[in-house]
């Protein structure tokens, strides 16, 4: 068993930081898929072993499973990149195809804004316009039980696709007009009122990786740090602000934080009921359960801390405990999952979007598993416990095929990501390859707690962001 270990935590964080210059030295890019996955998982694992939230000790077998899965992905990525080096280099996006995609960008953006207007109309008609200010959580619950029809949700996803398409065109030297940028900005702003902070996260993260990838060797370390600081600040602020709007604040998270050097206390037998916080970002049509809290047990009070510095540190950690939980809680949940032997679902989880499409088309007659993972208690060692349902992206292949299947899945995923990256390195003027790499990079970073590769909404967003480029290429060839 491995408990809180600041030394191990620092080693893992150093590994995460070292992955960036090592990747740049050998590939010319800061974030190729292998380095990105190593950096994301090593960094968050390092944060986990600080035990700012009093997690239980992790079993060695669980840590080895994670390390082996990451290593399998890296090996698959190396093979995929070598395969991509064969054959002719990808052709850049033709100017005529880019022009057609720019026209289609306006159609996609207008469709997304119409979907947002449709959503606002339903909320105002059924719950009243004041629900956006007074009780946004009521909106989420009404969407979940279909009090508010959710037929507009597929259009809202166009507000995510349009900005990504516009940025990809811009970075591959297609000039956008002011009306195009106006529509892109309007779509970004529209993601803020959906009560789903996943949408803005996807736009920001994918845009960040596209900017860094397009910069390549021209992007120095100083500019990389500047761009990264801006992206982290925007993501952190939006996460906390939208969380506060929804009432999902650290004060009602219901956990007791601690300084890394402080040993965990024994669990109290009179601990309050567990609040439930989703550890995985749900699909656009899914519902987020509400949290319950015990205000008396939520904070680690500074009067127990010897000195003002310790008290300030505890207050800062408490206020950012939600971000810390989302970044690290999946490892505690995964350790719990590995101690069980759930029934196998034989690919229905891993290939859920395909299975769902075939079921709706009447091709298969099978009951699909829930697209939201079940909640498990994290077994915190002090203060109130909490239930969580994020297990890293390994949950789905693990549930489908067991540990061996999870390794094979990670190898195949690495092969795919490595191949796409290898093609992008040889064809940096391709807007489609840049968009694809942006989507893959975003999914790899979020893989520490959710699998975006089998998320239906992610497939929709990718399709609609790339469809105008595909259509433009077809028209150009004809």
């Amino acid at each position: 068993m491995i408990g809180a270990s600041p030394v191990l935590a620092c080693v893992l964080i150093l590994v995460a930081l070292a992955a960036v210059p090592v990747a740049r030295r050998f590939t010319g890019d800061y974030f190729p898929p292998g380095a990105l996955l190593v950096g994301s998982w090593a960094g968050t694992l390092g944060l986990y072993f600080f035990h700012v939230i009093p997690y239980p000790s992790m079993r060695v077998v669980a840590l080895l499973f994670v390390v082996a899965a990451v290593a399998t992905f890296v090996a698959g990525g190396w093979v995929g990149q070598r395969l991509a080096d064969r054959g002719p280099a990808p052709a850049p996006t033709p100017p005529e195809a880019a022009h057609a995609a720019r026209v289609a960008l306006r159609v996609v953006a207008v469709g997304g804004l119409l979907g947002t207007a449709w959503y606002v109309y339903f909320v105002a008609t059924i719950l009243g316009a004041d629900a956006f200010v007074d009780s946004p959580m009521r909106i989420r619950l009404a969407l979940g039980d279909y009090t508010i029809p959710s037929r507009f949700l597929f259009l809202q996803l166009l507000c995510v696709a349009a900005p990504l398409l516009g940025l990809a065109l811009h970075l591959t030297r297609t000039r956008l007009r002011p009306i195009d940028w106006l529509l892109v900005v309007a779509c970004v702003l529209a993601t803020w009122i959906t009560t789903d902070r996943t949408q803005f996260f996807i736009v920001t993260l994918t845009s960040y990786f596209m900017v860094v990838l397009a910069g390549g060797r021209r992007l120095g370390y100083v500019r990389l740090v500047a761009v990264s600081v801006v992206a982290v600040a925007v993501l952190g602020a939006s996460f906390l602000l939208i969380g506060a709007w929804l009432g999902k604040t650290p004060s009602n998270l219901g956990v007791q934080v601690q300084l890394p050097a402080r040993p965990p206390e024994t669990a109290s037998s009179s601990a309050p009921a567990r609040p439930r916080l989703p550890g995985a970002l749900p699909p656009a049509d899914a519902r987020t359960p509400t949290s319950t809290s015990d205000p008396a047990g939520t904070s680690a009070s500074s009067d127990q801390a010897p000195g003002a510095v310790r008290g300030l540190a505890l207050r800062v950690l408490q206020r950012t405990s939600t971000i810390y939980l989302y970044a690290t809680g999946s490892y505690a949940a995964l350790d719990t999952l590995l101690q069980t032997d759930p029934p196998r679902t034989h690919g229905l989880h891993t290939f859920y979007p395909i299975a769902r499409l075939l079921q709706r088309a009447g091709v298969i007659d099978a009951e699909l598993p829930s697209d939201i993972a079940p909640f498990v208690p994290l077994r915190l060692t002090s203060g109130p416990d909490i239930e969580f349902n994020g297990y890293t992206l390994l949950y789905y292949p693990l549930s489908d095929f067991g540990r061996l299947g999870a390794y094979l899945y990670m190898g195949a995923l690495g092969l795919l990501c490595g191949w796409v990256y290898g093609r992008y390195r040889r064809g940096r003027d391709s807007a489609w390859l840049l968009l694809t790499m942006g989507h893959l990079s975003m999914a790899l970073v979020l893989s520490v707690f959710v699998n975006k590769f089998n998320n239906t909404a992610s497939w929709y967003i990718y399709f609609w962001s790339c469809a105008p480029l595909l259509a433009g290429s077809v028209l150009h060839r004809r």
Side-chain angles (χ1 to χ4, degrees), residues 14-323:
L14 287 175
V15 170
L17 294 175
V20 177
V22 170
R24 180 176 167 82
R25 169 67 179 80
F26 289 101
T27 68
D29 288 303
Y30 293 106
F31 301 126
L36 190 57
L37 195 78
V38 169
S40 301
W41 286 59
T44 51
L45 260 177
L47 293 176
Y48 169 85
F49 282 113
F50 278 127
H51 281 204
V52 171
I53 290 175
Y55 293 123
S57 297
M58 177 183 283
R59 296 179 307 141
V60 176
V61 66
L63 179 59
L64 292 177
F65 173 70
V66 169
V67 172
V70 173
T72 304
F73 177 92
V74 173
W78 182 84
V79 174
Q81 186 174 332
R82 292 297 175 271
L83 292 175
D85 290 338
R86 303 177 180 179
T93 303
E96 296 83 0
H99 173 72
R102 188 183 64 189
V103 175
L105 166 65
R106 301 175 188 176
V107 177
V108 173
V110 170
L113 294 175
L114 287 175
T116 303
W118 192 358
Y119 154 74
V120 171
Y121 169 77
F122 269 130
V123 172
T125 302
I126 297 173
L127 300 181
D130 56 347
F132 286 107
V133 179
D134 299 336
S135 52
M137 186 54 72
R138 283 179 57 209
I139 300 176
R140 292 187 69 87
L141 295 175
L143 287 169
D145 61 17
Y146 298 102
T147 300
I148 297 178
S150 57
R151 292 186 293 272
F152 51 79
L153 286 178
F154 77 97
L155 282 176
Q156 277 189 330
L157 296 180
L158 301 183
C159 283
V160 179
L164 300 180
L165 172 60
L167 181 61
L169 291 172
H170 172 71
L171 292 174
T172 50
R173 294 187 291 278
T174 297
R175 185 176 180 180
L176 300 184
R177 297 179 179 177
I179 183 62
D180 301 320
W181 287 116
L182 180 63
L183 289 171
V184 165
V185 171
C187 286
V188 173
L189 294 177
T191 64
W192 273 67
I193 64 171
T194 61
T195 73
D196 179 10
R197 50 188 168 188
T198 311
Q199 295 187 16
F200 184 77
F201 250 65
I202 292 174
V203 172
T204 305
L205 269 181
T206 309
S207 299
Y208 167 75
F209 286 116
M210 286 198 296
V211 168
V212 174
L213 284 165
R217 289 189 180 275
R218 301 188 308 273
L219 189 68
Y221 281 99
V222 174
R223 292 180 63 190
L224 173 69
V225 171
V227 172
S228 302
V229 168
V230 171
V232 170
V234 170
L235 287 173
S238 67
F239 187 90
L240 295 176
L241 287 173
I242 297 178
W245 180 48
L246 295 174
K248 298 161 110 180
T249 59
S251 61
N252 65 24
L253 176 59
V255 297
Q256 175 180 314
V257 300
Q258 59 190 11
L259 291 179
R262 186 176 181 181
E265 303 172 2
T266 57
S268 171
S269 61
S270 59
R274 302 185 186 103
R276 304 182 78 186
L277 187 74
L281 298 178
D285 57 352
R287 195 68 275 116
T288 303
T290 57
S291 298
T292 61
S293 64
D294 177 35
T298 57
S299 63
S301 59
S302 60
D303 58 358
Q304 298 175 355
V309 174
R310 185 181 180 89
L312 176 62
L314 285 170
R315 287 194 295 272
V316 171
L317 291 174
Q318 186 65 53
R319 290 171 182 172
T320 57
S321 57
T322 306
I323 296 177

Side-chain angles (χ1 to χ4, degrees), residues 221-448:
Y221 281 99
V222 174
R223 292 180 63 190
L224 173 69
V225 171
V227 172
S228 302
V229 168
V230 171
V232 170
V234 170
L235 287 173
S238 67
F239 187 90
L240 295 176
L241 287 173
I242 297 178
W245 180 48
L246 295 174
K248 298 161 110 180
T249 59
S251 61
N252 65 24
L253 176 59
V255 297
Q256 175 180 314
V257 300
Q258 59 190 11
L259 291 179
R262 186 176 181 181
E265 303 172 2
T266 57
S268 171
S269 61
S270 59
R274 302 185 186 103
R276 304 182 78 186
L277 187 74
L281 298 178
D285 57 352
R287 195 68 275 116
T288 303
T290 57
S291 298
T292 61
S293 64
D294 177 35
T298 57
S299 63
S301 59
S302 60
D303 58 358
Q304 298 175 355
V309 174
R310 185 181 180 89
L312 176 62
L314 285 170
R315 287 194 295 272
V316 171
L317 291 174
Q318 186 65 53
R319 290 171 182 172
T320 57
S321 57
T322 306
I323 296 177
Y324 182 83
L325 177 67
Y326 271 79
T328 61
S330 297
Y331 296 114
L334 179 64
D335 190 13
T336 300
L337 177 68
L338 289 171
Q339 299 177 48
T340 64
D341 188 22
R344 298 288 176 254
T345 43
H346 308 295
L348 293 179
H349 263 129
T350 304
F351 305 103
Y352 181 83
I354 298 175
R356 187 180 186 184
L357 178 64
L358 294 177
Q359 183 197 50
R360 290 186 171 181
V363 176
I364 62 173
D365 183 17
E367 183 178 354
L368 301 183
S370 173
D371 54 354
I372 298 204
F375 287 83
V376 295
L378 295 184
R379 299 174 290 119
L380 303 184
T381 59
S382 65
D385 202 358
I386 190 169
E387 292 187 339
F388 204 65
N389 74 331
Y391 306 85
T392 76
L393 92 165
L394 293 170
Y395 167 77
Y396 299 98
L398 192 62
S399 300
D400 280 341
F401 311 114
R403 298 191 187 191
L404 178 59
Y407 292 139
L408 293 175
Y409 175 83
M410 291 296 286
L413 189 61
L415 185 70
L416 171 65
C417 294
W419 184 84
V420 174
Y421 172 67
R423 297 295 291 170
Y424 173 72
R425 287 188 66 196
R426 304 183 64 196
R428 292 182 180 270
D429 291 331
S430 169
W432 172 73
L433 286 174
L434 179 60
L435 257 177
T436 304
M437 277 306 305
H439 282 284
L440 289 177
S441 300
M442 175 273 301
L444 291 176
V445 167
L446 296 182
S447 66
V448 297

